[in-house]
């Protein structure tokens, strides 16, 4: 009876080792699968973030960060010294001054850094005056006003044969050419050189010493 009740022998050692190795392999495979899933998830999130960032930068580059054309406008022209010059019969040394009020509207999100600008004045097909404007800054989305003073030499006017008839008619038809160049720099990423040119024709009224019949054509190069 004692011999029958003896415990059954344990499984062979080789079988136990095989079972344990199988369990360890299954556990390792589960860990590798979880690791691969985490890696795939991280890669997917990173790719999505990169695509979102690239799309955002592309949209900004074509909308907010796109360099827009500045708008140059001649607001008024005031004539000074014309009456004195006429009384002196435009003798040498008598000058006529034109004070031109010009505005520059900058629609960009960055300031427009202006270089030296030049304005030329023409009468009877000849250049009779020239003015230089110093550098400046047109702030982002603001309008900058500039007063350009053009000195006209009397002897230059006397060289125009039609001066006498125009004085009798009380009007001097003139033309002007203004060139303003500069650079727009957006976050040191987008840098664009801008050149604004404006050709104007106008009539200077001798009696009121003001401008009328102004017509300007503008061209902007980016």
């Amino acid at each position: 009876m004692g011999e029958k009740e003896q415990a059954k022998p344990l499984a062979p050692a080789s079988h136990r080792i095989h079972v344990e190795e199988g369990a360890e392999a299954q556990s390792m495979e589960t860990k590798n699968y979880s690791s691969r899933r985490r890696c795939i998830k991280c890669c997917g999130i990173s790719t999505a973030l990169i695509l979102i960032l690239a799309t955002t930068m592309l949209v900004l580059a074509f909308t907010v960060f796109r360099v827009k054309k500045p708008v140059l406008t001649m607001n008024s022209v005031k004539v000074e010294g014309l009456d004195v010059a006429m009384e002196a019969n435009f003798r040498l040394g008598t000058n006529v001054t034109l004070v031109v009020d010009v505005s520059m509207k900058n629609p960009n999100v960055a300031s427009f850094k202006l270089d030296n600008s030049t304005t030329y004045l023409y009468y009877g097909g000849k250049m009779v005056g020239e003015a230089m404007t110093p550098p400046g800054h047109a702030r982002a989305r603001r309008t900058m006003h500039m007063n350009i003073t053009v000195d006209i030499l009397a002897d230059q006017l006397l060289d125009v044969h039609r001066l006498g008839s125009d004085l009798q008619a009380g009007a001097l038809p003139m033309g002007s050419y203004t060139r303003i160049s500069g650079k727009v720099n957006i976050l040191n990423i987008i840098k664009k050189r801008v050149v604004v040119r404006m050709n104007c024709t106008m009539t200077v009224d001798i009696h009121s010493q003001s401008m009328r019949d102004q017509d300007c054509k503008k061209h902007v190069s980016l």
Side-chain angles (χ1 to χ4, degrees):
M1 188 71 180
E3 294 179 358
K4 291 182 180 180
E5 290 179 354
Q6 288 181 354
K8 293 182 179 180
L10 297 174
S14 60
H15 180 69
R16 289 199 306 271
I17 294 172
H18 179 72
V19 171
E20 290 175 358
E21 287 179 352
E24 289 178 0
Q26 185 176 2
S27 175
M28 185 65 67
E29 185 178 350
T30 302
K31 290 180 180 180
N32 291 337
Y33 177 72
S34 300
S35 178
R36 284 197 299 271
R37 285 192 62 185
R38 286 196 298 269
C39 183
I40 292 172
K41 185 182 292 186
C42 290
C43 291
I45 293 174
S46 299
T47 303
L49 290 175
I50 291 173
L51 289 175
I52 292 172
L53 181 61
T55 303
T56 303
M57 292 300 295
L58 190 62
V59 170
L60 290 175
F62 282 97
T63 54
V64 179
F65 291 160
R66 182 173 63 88
V67 177
K68 303 176 181 65
K69 295 181 178 180
V71 180
L72 183 64
T73 305
M74 181 181 290
N75 302 310
S76 64
V77 175
K78 182 181 179 182
V79 186
E80 298 177 352
L82 182 58
D83 50 350
V84 176
M86 290 178 63
E87 290 176 2
N89 293 321
F90 292 96
R91 288 195 304 268
L92 295 178
T94 58
N95 294 337
V96 179
T97 301
L98 265 66
V99 181
V100 185
D101 178 28
V102 176
S103 62
M104 169 75 75
K105 182 180 180 181
N106 178 21
N108 293 288
V109 296
S111 62
F112 179 26
K113 185 179 179 181
L114 306 177
D115 301 329
N116 289 322
S117 62
T118 309
T119 298
Y120 301 98
L121 191 69
Y122 298 92
Y123 172 62
K126 294 185 178 182
M127 189 181 74
V128 296
E130 179 182 357
M132 299 290 293
T133 306
H137 280 84
R139 292 191 301 168
R141 294 176 175 173
R142 295 289 187 273
T143 299
M144 172 185 178
H145 285 270
M146 297 176 286
N147 284 327
I148 302 174
T149 302
V150 184
D151 291 324
I152 305 173
L153 298 177
D155 55 340
Q156 298 288 340
L157 290 175
L158 290 173
D159 286 341
V160 180
H161 299 297
R162 58 181 292 177
L163 177 62
S165 59
D166 287 339
L167 290 176
Q168 290 181 356
L172 298 177
M174 290 187 165
S176 67
Y177 170 75
T178 301
R179 182 185 184 277
I180 298 177
S181 63
K183 182 184 293 183
V184 177
N185 186 348
I186 302 176
L187 300 177
N188 284 327
I189 300 174
I190 301 175
K191 300 178 182 180
K192 200 77 172 181
R193 186 150 193 87
V194 182
V195 179
V196 184
R197 299 178 179 87
M198 182 170 63
N199 285 288
C200 296
T201 58
M202 67 199 81
T203 300
V204 177
D205 191 305
I206 294 176
H207 302 294
S208 64
Q209 298 197 37
S210 61
M211 175 193 67
R212 58 181 172 85
D213 302 330
Q214 172 191 346
D215 182 28
C216 293
K217 292 179 173 58
K218 306 156 194 174
H219 178 73
V220 181
S221 302
L222 295 176

